[in-house]
Amino acid sequence: MCGIVGIVGRSNVNQSIYDALTVLQHRGQDAAGIVTCDGDRLFMRKDNGMVRDVFRTRHMRRMIGHMGIGHVRYPTAGSASSAEAQPFYVNSPYGITLAHNGNLTNSESLAEDIYRADLRHINTNSDSEVLLNVFAHELQSLGKLLPQPQDIFEAVRRVHRRVEGAYAVVAMITGYGILAFRDPHGVRPVCFGRRETPNGPEYMVASESVALSGLGFHLERDLAPGEALYISAEGELFTQQCADNPQLNPCIFEHVYLARPDSIMDGISVYKARLRMGEKLADKILREWPDHDIDVVIPIPDTSRTSALELANRLDVKYREGFIKNRYIGRTFIMPGQQQRKKSVRQKLNAIELEFSGKNVLLVDDSIVRGTTCNEIIQMARDCGAAKVYFASAAPAVTHPNVYGIDMPAASELIAHGRSVEEICRIIGADRLIYQDLDDLVDACREGNADISRFECSVFDGQYVAGHIDAAYLGDLERSRSDAVQRSNDMERLAALAENEVIDLHNAE
């Protein structure tokens, strides 16, 4: 999960890209980068850290130009080195920078092809650099001195034929324009919008519509699966379908957890979808547990609030805020090491004792991944005097790893992998555990756009829509995502951040 943005404006776009990245910060907190273009010159700044930490005034002043792209990252592959912060750059042809959200499932074989057949060199372990070099090779092979929109679209068409997996891409061709394209299954989100100015229209592409609305752009629409959009430096917009057999299979976990509730994705309001998740979950409780003794519904902040509120309304029980969140702690399910995650939960949430004391409490979370967070939270509720603690998940049981750009842990570290609901309930220490049914989750999302026939639900059902995922691939994924590997990456990231702080102090002096 990463966030991408690209803008073609009528004046310097550095501040707008920065502001858009802060809106998309929830999609990645490990690294950030911006590159702008002024004529045939590029200005880039990227590093590990959050947007506010990576960019200082001295950096922003240098990044002039009326078009540019930006990226916020958390790593799902490769390492945590700042060398893998995006955007990436290749000099030939024309000078191309690229940022990417998703994961290429055939990146290793592609990297080999790039080296042996395309005669290009890859400097990092990032699949985004692989994708950049595939696109650059295909564009260069057309042999055009001045690339036209049709040439760029043909290069994208060839990329689709070589690349497997999920990807939403924004790229900038130095001096020519900005390109965005989406994988043929439309797994990862990307949309575009328009803003009128006295000097003419400006265009923006982004991972979520909230980045557009936050900067005064009107959402035009989402890119269709396989579609490419090109905006010339002069502000002309071109679009073309570049995939042979496109099918819209958007990632359903975007609606469960990843996206901001005020975003619209593929015509679906994330907020409304989460309301319906709460309704569906309440209906399941009333159907299977009509004589429930729930006194109060309390959400695990922040993502589950919307579903929990509608669930409480449907059950006709009180809704209360029982936990206060420390907003300066990162997301716990992507933190390496079990002990670090447990420690983080206590730092992240503080319980309001009077909302628990003597009550039968239903805690609602958006999903259960490792189970560490809910185990600690249930114990916090008991420590505050709760009589009984029930737990509900607005999503079905997460039983499989994600291969399309979400850093879900190895299958063996998923609490629901190979376990029954009763076993999970005992492990997390709840008096009762209720999961959303997958059919209900799909219905809750599809109600916003009936034209979507299938969502990407692999973390729940193990069916990978882009295909070519076998036991060998999942085995390699298991090894790369183990806690031991994540701890190593974390130490690498901390060392890089410490080095950057020393450099910044030196520069300040």
Side-chain angles (χ1 to χ4, degrees):
M1 181 185 72
C2 298
I4 59 173
V5 61
I7 300 177
V8 175
R10 301 293 175 173
S11 59
N12 287 337
V13 297
N14 52 354
Q15 185 65 52
S16 292
I17 295 175
Y18 176 95
D19 292 341
L21 292 182
T22 61
V23 175
L24 296 175
Q25 186 75 85
H26 62 285
R27 300 190 67 87
Q29 302 171 11
D30 279 61
I34 294 175
V35 59
T36 60
C37 179
D38 182 39
D40 60 356
R41 298 180 64 198
L42 293 178
F43 304 88
M44 182 184 290
R45 165 68 178 170
K46 61 178 184 174
D47 207 343
N48 282 349
M50 298 179 71
V51 175
R52 65 170 182 257
D53 300 319
V54 171
F55 303 103
R56 306 295 175 87
T57 301
R58 64 181 181 273
H59 305 132
M60 299 298 290
R61 285 176 175 167
R62 290 197 295 264
M63 290 189 293
I64 60 175
H66 73 281
M67 66 179 183
I69 63 176
H71 185 267
V72 287
R73 171 186 187 255
Y74 85 76
T76 59
S79 73
S81 167
S82 60
E84 296 196 1
Q86 300 183 38
F88 284 103
Y89 170 77
V90 290
N91 182 60
S92 179
Y94 318 115
I96 304 173
T97 47
L98 180 145
H100 154 240
N101 172 34
N103 184 54
L104 308 188
T105 56
N106 65 333
S107 60
E108 289 190 8
S109 61
L110 282 172
E112 187 72 16
D113 290 344
I114 288 168
Y115 176 71
R116 296 189 180 279
D118 298 352
L119 303 180
R120 288 177 171 269
H121 181 71
I122 304 296
N123 296 299
T124 70
N125 293 320
S126 173
D127 61 343
S128 301
E129 190 185 10
V130 171
L131 183 55
L132 168 60
N133 277 274
V134 171
F135 172 70
H137 170 78
E138 297 301 343
L139 187 58
Q140 186 172 30
S141 67
L142 297 174
K144 298 298 181 69
L145 180 63
L146 301 175
Q148 300 300 310
Q150 291 303 315
D151 303 319
I152 295 167
F153 292 147
E154 176 57 28
V156 173
R157 184 178 298 277
R158 296 182 182 186
V159 168
H160 287 327
R161 290 171 179 167
R162 292 182 64 181
V163 169
E164 297 174 4
Y167 47 95
V169 177
V170 61
M172 182 165 63
I173 305 174
T174 306
Y176 291 99
I178 282 180
L179 166 72
F181 58 93
R182 192 177 185 186
D183 72 81
H185 289 274
V187 176
R188 300 263 67 87
V190 61
C191 58
F192 73 97
R194 173 180 172 132
R195 180 172 66 183
E196 300 296 336
T197 75
N199 297 320
E202 298 178 326
Y203 291 97
M204 175 178 174
V205 297
S207 292
E208 295 186 33
S209 65
V210 67
L212 304 177
S213 58
L215 275 72
F217 284 80
H218 171 73
L219 173 64
E220 295 291 319
R221 61 179 176 84
D222 297 87
L223 266 68
E227 184 182 22
L229 172 149
Y230 176 68
I231 310 160
S232 71
E234 293 72 36
E236 297 177 283
L237 184 144
F238 307 86
T239 64
Q240 188 172 113
Q241 176 55 253
C242 298
D244 297 327
N245 297 294
Q247 297 176 350
L248 181 56
N249 306 132
C251 174
I252 204 164
F253 211 74
E254 291 279 355
H255 296 279
V256 170
Y257 176 68
L258 300 179
R260 273 183 41 162
D262 44 347
S263 286
I264 308 290
M265 288 186 165
D266 296 300
I268 302 170
S269 163
V270 176
Y271 175 75
K272 287 295 186 69
R274 289 177 183 167
L275 284 177
R276 291 189 290 267
M277 290 176 207
E279 292 177 1
K280 301 283 188 182
L281 194 54
D283 289 344
K284 180 176 181 178
I285 291 173
L286 291 173
R287 184 173 62 250
E288 297 184 357
W289 190 19
D291 57 343
H292 71 81
D293 57 352
I294 301 168
D295 296 319
V296 61
V297 172
I298 294 177
I300 312 301
D302 285 317
T303 320
S304 64
R305 280 198 174 106
T306 308
S307 297
L309 179 59
E310 195 62 16
L311 183 150
N313 288 337
R314 197 83 156 191
L315 294 181
D316 195 25
V317 299
K318 293 179 180 178
Y319 170 91
R320 290 290 185 269
E321 293 286 342
F323 296 101
I324 302 302
K325 185 176 182 180
N326 180 350
R327 300 185 182 278
Y328 300 97
I329 299 293
R331 291 180 166 183
T332 55
F333 88 81
I334 59 174
M335 285 187 173
Q338 196 78 347
Q339 291 302 316
Q340 178 62 30
R341 282 189 292 273
K342 288 183 177 181
K343 179 182 177 183
S344 176
V345 172
R346 294 281 180 165
Q347 294 173 334
K348 185 176 182 178
L349 296 176
N350 188 60
I352 302 174
E353 186 171 342
L354 62 87
E355 295 296 350
F356 295 91
S357 184
K359 298 175 183 177
N360 296 335
V361 178
L362 175 63
L363 302 179
V364 180
D365 208 350
D366 51 74
S367 59
I368 303 173
V369 181
R370 281 185 171 96
T372 307
T373 300
C374 53
N375 182 276
E376 289 293 305
I377 289 172
I378 288 168
Q379 187 58 50
M380 290 170 66
R382 295 197 189 281
D383 292 344
C384 289
K388 293 181 180 179
V389 182
Y390 308 122
F391 205 94
S393 169
V398 177
T399 54
H400 295 77
N402 184 279
V403 303
Y404 297 133
I406 305 174
D407 195 20
M408 291 288 186
S412 60
E413 295 168 5
L414 297 169
I415 192 171
H417 184 75
R419 293 190 177 97
S420 67
V421 174
E422 291 74 19
E423 289 174 315
I424 300 167
C425 186
R426 285 195 298 271
I427 292 171
I428 66 175
D431 293 297
R432 188 163 187 152
L433 173 61
I434 306 99
Y435 276 110
Q436 183 85 266
D437 291 334
L438 181 55
D439 288 344
D440 285 342
L441 174 62
V442 170
D443 288 345
C445 296
R446 183 184 286 140
E447 191 172 326
N449 184 353
D451 292 334
I452 298 176
S453 59
R454 181 183 181 185
F455 287 88
E456 201 290 307
C457 302
S458 58
V459 297
F460 306 122
D461 61 13
Q463 298 180 24
Y464 298 99
V465 297
H468 302 99
I469 303 300
D470 55 19
Y473 183 92
L474 294 175
D476 290 341
L477 192 71
E478 174 101 12
R479 287 183 285 275
S480 68
R481 290 185 177 178
S482 68
D483 269 347
V485 173
Q486 294 294 339
R487 279 193 296 272
S488 175
N489 287 343
D490 190 50
M491 293 301 295
E492 185 180 348
R493 181 162 48 249
L494 290 174
L497 288 172
E499 181 180 350
N500 290 341
E501 288 179 4
V502 171
I503 293 171
D504 283 340
L505 285 171
H506 176 75
N507 290 338
E509 292 172 356

